[in-house]
Each structure stands twice: as structure tokens, then as C-alpha cells.
Amino acid sequence: MIFEIYSDGSTRGNGKAGAVGAWAYVVLRDGEKFCYECKAVKDTTNQRMELTAAAEALEYLFYNEICVPFDRVIIYTDSAYLHNCYVQKWYVNWQSNGWRNSKKEPVANQDLWERLIKYFEMPEVEFKKVKGHAGNRNEHERWNDFVDVLAQGASEDLKNESSNN
């Protein structure tokens, strides 16, 4: 059995105080939509939402009895930050440097990277980069757009809820 995950995160007002973000994922089992989830978060960043989406999806798969056993998990992301960390193994140096980056500064989002690293090391899990928000020209773009719409909708709902209170 093969699971494919499409994950995305977004933040309105990224980098500003009070930014509202959201993450979303959809899981396909043998090519068919199996489940999806999204959640909005206050005071966050786009990078945190991208990482959270992937972590939440993988944790759902690995800790949900109805999802195992499986042969392979492919997670598709439009986040260069996430994909490059996986492919270039940035996390190896971060860990050996006491969670300091090449500038000797603390690594941003360490808590989320720690949730993800165990999956980077699993041979049955693979992270692949997809073009973000490209307009539904193929299956990858269609599912990436699907999770983008989920995340955008969740953050808009939270923003509206906050402004009504």
C-alpha cells in the first residue's frame, strides 16, 4: 500500500505581530483521497505552518492503526525550506552543532524539525518537491492547490472569528 501526502502551510501577515496562519494536508491511499485535515493558528509564520502540515500528516499516518501497514509514504511539498532540509540533510549539521546553524545562531523551528527528522531517516518515507499554486495542470498541482485552499480557508475563518470578537 502506498500513501501520498500533499501538505501546505500559509500565513496572512507573515512576519508581522498577530499573523494568522494555517496548515493543511490530504492523504491519498493508492491514489484515492483517504483523509484530510487543516487547522488555523494565531501568531505564527509561513515556515512553521509548512513544517507543521508535514509533521501532522506523518504523525497521523504512523500513529493511526487504520493506516498501517504500508509499503511507502511519499510526501509532496511546495516548501523549498522543508525539501532542502531533507535532501541536503541540513539537520545532520544542526544536530552535531547543538542546534546552531552555519551562522552559529539557534536553528529556527527546532521543535518542528525534531518532529520531522525521524521520518527523514525512514527508508519507506520520501519527500518530493512540487511546484506551488501552479493551476491544476496535473495531479500534483491539483492536490497542492487543494491543500492550499484548505489552509487559506482555515486562516480566513480564524481571522474573521478574531475580528468579530
Side-chain angles (χ1 to χ4, degrees):
M1 185 175 311
I2 297 174
F3 283 98
E4 294 172 288
I5 298 168
Y6 290 83
S7 65
D8 200 19
S10 68
T11 302
R12 295 171 187 266
N14 191 40
K16 297 177 183 170
V20 175
W23 55 264
Y25 67 81
V26 62
V27 177
L28 308 180
R29 180 172 61 187
D30 293 330
E32 299 293 324
K33 184 166 49 173
F34 178 68
C35 69
Y36 60 91
E37 184 176 6
C38 61
K39 184 176 181 183
V41 179
K42 292 181 182 179
D43 299 314
T44 192
T45 66
N46 190 60
Q47 301 290 29
R48 286 195 65 77
M49 295 297 89
E50 293 281 2
L51 299 178
T52 300
E56 290 287 334
L58 288 163
E59 289 167 354
Y60 173 82
L61 277 185
F62 279 84
Y63 298 108
N64 191 324
E65 291 178 20
I66 61 172
C67 296
V68 289
F70 48 80
D71 301 312
R72 191 163 178 220
V73 175
I74 305 167
I75 186 157
Y76 296 96
T77 180
D78 62 8
S79 169
Y81 182 53
L82 173 56
H83 186 258
N84 290 343
C85 181
Y86 169 74
V87 171
Q88 297 174 22
K89 300 191 181 305
W90 296 343
Y91 62 94
V92 173
N93 286 336
W94 292 342
Q95 290 173 312
S96 66
N97 294 334
W99 284 98
R100 299 278 175 185
N101 63 24
S102 60
K103 297 177 185 176
K104 309 290 187 225
E105 299 166 342
V107 171
N109 306 309
Q110 178 182 340
D111 59 324
L112 294 168
W113 290 119
E114 288 175 329
R115 288 172 62 186
L116 288 162
I117 288 170
K118 62 184 162 202
Y119 303 108
F120 291 172
E121 300 291 332
M122 294 179 171
E124 67 271 22
V125 176
E126 181 179 4
F127 288 74
K128 291 188 176 185
K129 178 85 169 66
V130 295
K131 189 171 183 175
H133 323 296
N136 287 320
R137 292 183 307 233
N138 61 45
E139 281 296 296
H140 294 307
E141 292 171 4
R142 183 169 79 90
W143 288 113
N144 179 260
D145 285 349
F146 176 82
V147 291
D148 179 55
V149 167
L150 288 176
Q152 293 286 338
S155 65
E156 187 63 31
D157 288 349
L158 181 59
K159 183 180 172 191
N160 290 338
E161 179 183 301
S162 296
S163 65
N164 291 332
N165 290 333

